[in-house]
Amino acid sequence: MFWERHPSSINYPPDDDYYFRYLANKRPKHDLGDIFNPALNVQEKGAASVVLPSVVALVSDSGNVEVSEGSGTVIESNNARTIVLTTANLIRRPTDGAFVENHLIDDLKVIVYYRGGGYAGEVVAFDYHYNLAAISFQPQVPLPTAKIAVVDDSLDVPPSLPSFELRPHANLYKLRPGAEVVAVGRFFYKPFGSMVVPGAYWLDRCRYDSKELLKASCTIIKCGEGGPLVNLFGEVIGITYCDRGSTPFMPISIVLKWWEHFKTYRKYRRPLLGMEAGNFYSADIDVIERVNQLFPSVCSGVFVEMVKQGSSADLAGLCVNDVIIECVGKRVKSFLEFFEMIWENVGNHVNLVVVRQHKVEPLHLTMFVNEATVDQFNRWPNRI
């Protein structure tokens, strides 16, 4: 299951769909710690204990009416302020599936809960396209910042010799389908206990518009949304979203790029190509075999799964089942690596090298990197 792709859209009966949307993710009225910390093994407990000092609970309201709740991860903290990363679901109206513009709710208030009490929070950055937000608050003392591990999602097909991780706390983490992960959150009522849910990384695609999302098998409730997904070393590899039967997560490399870009330029960047893509190893075995026959040296890259008519990818000449192996003159081994290259080139043309079935030579294509406009923002499921 961890290695298998499934269709991106699932149709549920109306009654089931209503339950998932409006009842299953309601906030808890009592302590669910025993349910959501189920029979954790030593490694899972260890991973959670590393990150929990950097996890806060969040509640938002507008006009004294609750908007949402969730969790967040401390990534910066000093005597002046503490910055928490979470999802923008915390601050958007529950019925807004799409947005006319990127603006805050009127009379919005955010409260940050951490162990001993609550603090007034300030929204310093938010982006409804990527569903991310940064909240600032000032605790009595600086809080521990989370350990971060940038995700490396590359994997060779056929596989190369295994590599051994000599530095378990290095800032690069090799993420493979089936890898054990732990979703962590914090309840927003006393005693502000933890929610810890183990699972595994799935190759399966999420149902959301945002194609950068990855997926884990663990299932969190709404108050855990926006909290960290960690590896077994307790290093944050993603920010979680609440969904039915699984946990989508935004890889931390994208989250950090978003945050660092905003801090530097005070604006957001949203590259748009008009295609769906994944890692080469996610392609059907027949596709992999045909590519390997023509190009034995190609064992990784970006596999093109869908191209939208009239998009930048379409105008560049990209086709379904193409494998992108170079971008801007650099070898590209994975989708996340490709995304980072595209991010740096919004508004510019990029040169691609592509291998295509039944073509004996690689193709050289040029693609323009558009930026998403408001009407092209990712849609996200409604929240209540």
Side-chain angles (χ1 to χ4, degrees), residues 2 36 38-41 43-48 51 149 151 173-185 195-203 214-220 227-240 246-251:
F2 300 131
F36 283 95
L40 300 173
N41 63 36
Q43 286 183 301
E44 292 159 353
K45 290 178 181 178
V51 75
V151 170
Y173 174 68
K174 195 82 166 179
L175 184 64
R176 299 171 181 268
E180 294 180 79
V181 294
V182 181
V184 180
M195 182 193 70
V196 181
V197 187
Y201 166 51
W202 276 351
L203 185 60
L214 303 180
K215 192 172 185 178
S217 64
C218 41
T219 302
I220 61 174
L229 188 80
V230 302
N231 59 24
L232 291 185
F233 303 124
E235 300 166 323
V236 179
I237 62 172
I239 299 296
T240 64
S246 64
T247 295
F249 66 96
M250 187 69 74

Side-chain angles (χ1 to χ4, degrees), residues 38-351:
L40 300 173
N41 63 36
V42 173
Q43 286 183 301
E44 292 159 353
K45 290 178 181 178
S49 66
V50 170
V51 75
L52 273 171
S54 306
V55 179
V56 302
L58 301 163
V59 176
S60 60
D61 70 57
S62 175
N64 296 321
V65 176
E66 182 182 308
V67 174
S68 191
E69 68 274 340
S71 297
T73 306
V74 175
I75 61 159
E76 298 178 13
S77 190
N78 53 42
N79 291 325
R81 69 175 187 174
T82 293
I83 297 293
V84 169
L85 291 179
T86 186
T87 78
N89 281 337
L90 179 76
I91 58 174
R92 71 178 174 94
R93 292 193 182 280
T95 57
D96 288 346
F99 302 92
V100 177
E101 54 184 293
N102 210 48
H103 63 82
L104 286 173
I105 299 172
D106 295 335
D107 195 26
L108 177 71
K109 296 179 182 178
V110 176
I111 305 298
V112 182
Y113 292 100
Y114 183 82
R115 292 183 177 175
Y119 304 87
E122 177 189 359
V123 180
V124 294
F126 64 99
D127 186 352
Y128 293 139
H129 181 65
Y130 284 119
N131 205 352
L132 295 171
I135 310 296
S136 170
F137 73 105
Q138 189 169 358
Q140 296 175 347
V141 295
L143 302 185
T145 57
K147 296 182 179 180
I148 303 294
V150 176
V151 170
D152 175 8
D153 62 330
S154 64
L155 186 64
D156 291 344
V157 179
S160 56
L161 291 175
S163 58
F164 296 93
E165 191 162 354
L166 299 178
R167 297 175 57 201
H169 293 285
N171 62 354
L172 188 67
Y173 174 68
K174 195 82 166 179
L175 184 64
R176 299 171 181 268
E180 294 180 79
V181 294
V182 181
V184 180
R186 191 173 292 282
F187 295 113
F188 55 89
Y189 50 85
K190 291 183 179 180
F192 309 112
S194 60
M195 182 193 70
V196 181
V197 187
Y201 166 51
W202 276 351
L203 185 60
D204 201 6
R205 183 171 295 285
C206 298
R207 65 189 179 98
Y208 295 174
D209 281 358
S210 181
K211 305 310 177 187
E212 297 80 18
L213 287 172
L214 303 180
K215 192 172 185 178
S217 64
C218 41
T219 302
I220 61 174
I221 58 175
K222 191 175 179 183
C223 68
E225 182 173 64
L229 188 80
V230 302
N231 59 24
L232 291 185
F233 303 124
E235 300 166 323
V236 179
I237 62 172
I239 299 296
T240 64
Y241 299 84
C242 186
D243 198 16
R244 60 189 72 164
S246 64
T247 295
F249 66 96
M250 187 69 74
I252 198 64
S253 54
I254 294 178
V255 179
L256 293 180
K257 268 197 167 297
W258 173 84
W259 173 237
E260 293 300 328
H261 185 86
F262 176 80
K263 286 198 299 180
T264 302
Y265 301 103
R266 312 309 295 180
K267 62 181 182 180
Y268 307 104
R269 173 164 280 183
R270 309 175 181 103
L272 181 71
L273 299 178
M275 70 176 187
E276 291 185 15
N279 288 312
F280 178 52
Y281 63 75
S282 67
D284 290 340
I285 185 60
D286 291 338
V287 175
I288 293 174
E289 181 184 22
R290 287 194 289 269
V291 170
N292 286 159
Q293 286 176 345
L294 291 171
F295 306 97
S297 63
V298 174
C299 53
S300 61
V302 175
F303 175 66
V304 178
E305 300 176 352
M306 184 277 289
V307 177
K308 184 178 180 180
Q309 186 175 4
S311 66
S312 294
D314 182 38
L315 296 175
L318 281 169
C319 299
V320 173
N321 292 339
D322 281 353
V323 181
I324 302 169
I325 59 173
E326 284 188 21
C327 179
V328 294
K330 299 178 181 177
R331 181 75 174 90
V332 57
K333 298 189 67 176
S334 72
F335 173 75
L336 288 181
E337 187 178 47
F338 176 69
F339 180 84
E340 293 193 26
M341 295 176 181
I342 294 301
W343 180 284
E344 301 294 342
N345 285 278
V346 170
N348 299 317
H349 287 87
V350 294
N351 295 321

